[in-house]
Amino acid sequence: MPSFLPNRGPGRLIVVEGIDGSGKSTQLALMSQWLRLRGYAVAFSEWNSSPLVRETTRRGKKKEMFTPTSFSLIHATDFADRMERYILPLLKAGAVVCADRYAYTAFARDVVRGVDRGWVRNLYRFAPKPDLAFYFKVPLEVALGRILGGRNALKYYEAGMDLDLSRNIEESFRIFQGRILTEYESMIEEMGFQVIDATKSIESQQKEMRRIVLREFGRTRPPGVLGVELNATRLHA
Ligand SMILES: Nc1ncnc2c1ncn2[C@@H]1O[C@H](COP(=O)(O)OP(=O)(O)OP(=O)(O)O)[C@@H](O)[C@H]1O
Ligand SMILES: [Mg+2]
């Protein structure tokens, strides 16, 4: 099965993965702040955020006209665009790129939508392998409680309504997320995820992540051009 390319650096790539409501964005925001304070040049990239596909995605979603394959291709296009224009140049310049979801999201979601496992992995084979991939492991009910408690309206595709799992949107969301969770679990070993117990407090998860980053990256910054001198002066002042 095709795999990722090595990250040739000198920057580092950190990604967060897990089902909706597992706490990824919360933890990544805290992690980015901390890395900045440690003198790293930090950049951030979010799943499905490229301007290139925004209009197509919006129109396709509105009319509920995506098939699993076209949905998968749209996400891969978004990813490729962000990779070329943003992530790779920043890695080459020595930044730490923090990605809120990565190709693993496609591996989990698209497969649940019925796309062939090998096919979707092949789509992303141009991507660099993350230096650290955190997986936020959480029981379905905990994540659902956070999500459903925090906002009122679930959206059609995020609830997997295109799969005809249930006519009830909340029930569909539950079944869809449950299947995605199973896919994530089956990737833990294969993908070398750093598993974080996402039922714990925000503080204790963050502490664990920082411990892992220090262990993996060491206490020195990667050699790079972005902001290093400026930050070095600040750090040693
Ligand atoms: N450890 C935690 N304990 C309790 N609540 C939490 C914890 N972590 C995050 N939350 C809350 O749960 C909700 C979802 O968190 P967050 O947005 O970080 O999840 P996410 O994984 O990024 O979700 P999505 O995939 O939908 O973007 C937020 O309201 C957040 O404040
Ligand atoms: Mg999020």
Side-chain angles (χ1 to χ4, degrees):
M1 196 165 283
S3 51
F4 296 130
L5 298 174
N7 171 17
R8 300 200 187 281
R12 304 290 175 93
L13 178 60
I14 300 180
V15 316
V16 293
E17 285 285 357
I19 57 172
D20 291 6
S22 55
K24 301 176 294 297
S25 304
T26 305
Q27 293 299 331
L28 196 61
L30 292 168
M31 164 72 37
S32 319
Q33 266 179 336
W34 176 70
L35 286 168
R36 269 190 202 107
L37 284 172
R38 292 186 63 81
Y40 287 93
V42 182
F44 177 79
S45 189
E46 196 177 3
W47 187 250
N48 209 20
S49 63
S50 160
L52 182 72
V53 297
R54 191 167 298 149
E55 191 48 30
T56 317
T57 309
R58 197 187 64 77
R59 266 189 277 160
K61 278 187 172 172
K62 202 168 163 194
K63 298 195 173 140
E64 296 167 7
M65 57 197 257
F66 285 131
T67 64
T69 310
S70 59
F71 213 24
S72 182
L73 288 169
I74 283 272
H75 285 127
T77 307
D78 162 77
F79 185 88
D81 186 49
R82 286 185 295 120
M83 191 55 70
E84 283 298 313
R85 286 173 197 271
Y86 190 71
I87 298 177
L88 285 177
L90 281 159
L91 289 175
K92 282 183 188 154
V96 178
V97 179
C98 292
D100 194 336
R101 298 186 173 279
Y102 201 65
Y104 311 108
T105 285
F107 298 169
R109 281 191 189 154
D110 294 354
V111 166
V112 168
R113 283 209 152 86
V115 174
D116 179 75
R117 194 172 267 112
W119 185 84
V120 67
R121 284 176 193 206
N122 189 45
L123 265 187
Y124 288 86
R125 70 183 189 280
F126 64 90
K129 185 173 163 53
D131 295 284
L132 276 174
F134 289 104
Y135 169 60
F136 293 83
K137 187 180 169 81
V138 73
L140 189 58
E141 290 307 319
V142 174
L144 290 179
R146 288 179 191 165
I147 290 268
L148 301 173
R151 58 190 158 112
N152 27 30
L154 286 169
K155 294 182 198 135
Y156 184 87
Y157 284 103
E158 81 176 346
M161 287 298 277
D162 54 314
L163 298 177
D164 277 332
L165 301 168
S166 165
R167 281 200 207 156
N168 178 294
I169 191 160
E170 198 173 310
E171 182 57 18
S172 172
F173 184 68
R174 200 176 288 271
I175 300 170
F176 185 50
Q177 293 295 321
R179 291 186 185 174
I180 291 172
L181 185 61
T182 308
E183 280 301 317
Y184 271 128
E185 294 288 318
S186 73
M187 277 191 272
I188 292 175
E189 221 166 285
E190 178 194 359
M191 302 301 178
F193 289 156
Q194 301 284 341
V195 181
I196 301 292
D197 179 351
T199 61
K200 290 193 174 159
S201 72
I202 291 176
E203 290 81 357
S204 77
Q205 289 182 56
Q206 185 60 205
K207 224 171 163 179
E208 172 70 0
M209 287 174 76
R210 292 179 185 185
R211 196 184 59 73
I212 293 170
V213 167
L214 285 174
R215 188 188 71 205
E216 297 295 315
F217 290 9
R219 289 177 182 272
T220 54
R221 289 184 302 280
V225 293
L226 287 180
V228 166
E229 281 180 27
L230 182 85
N231 286 316
T233 2
R234 200 188 324 140
L235 268 188
H236 301 299

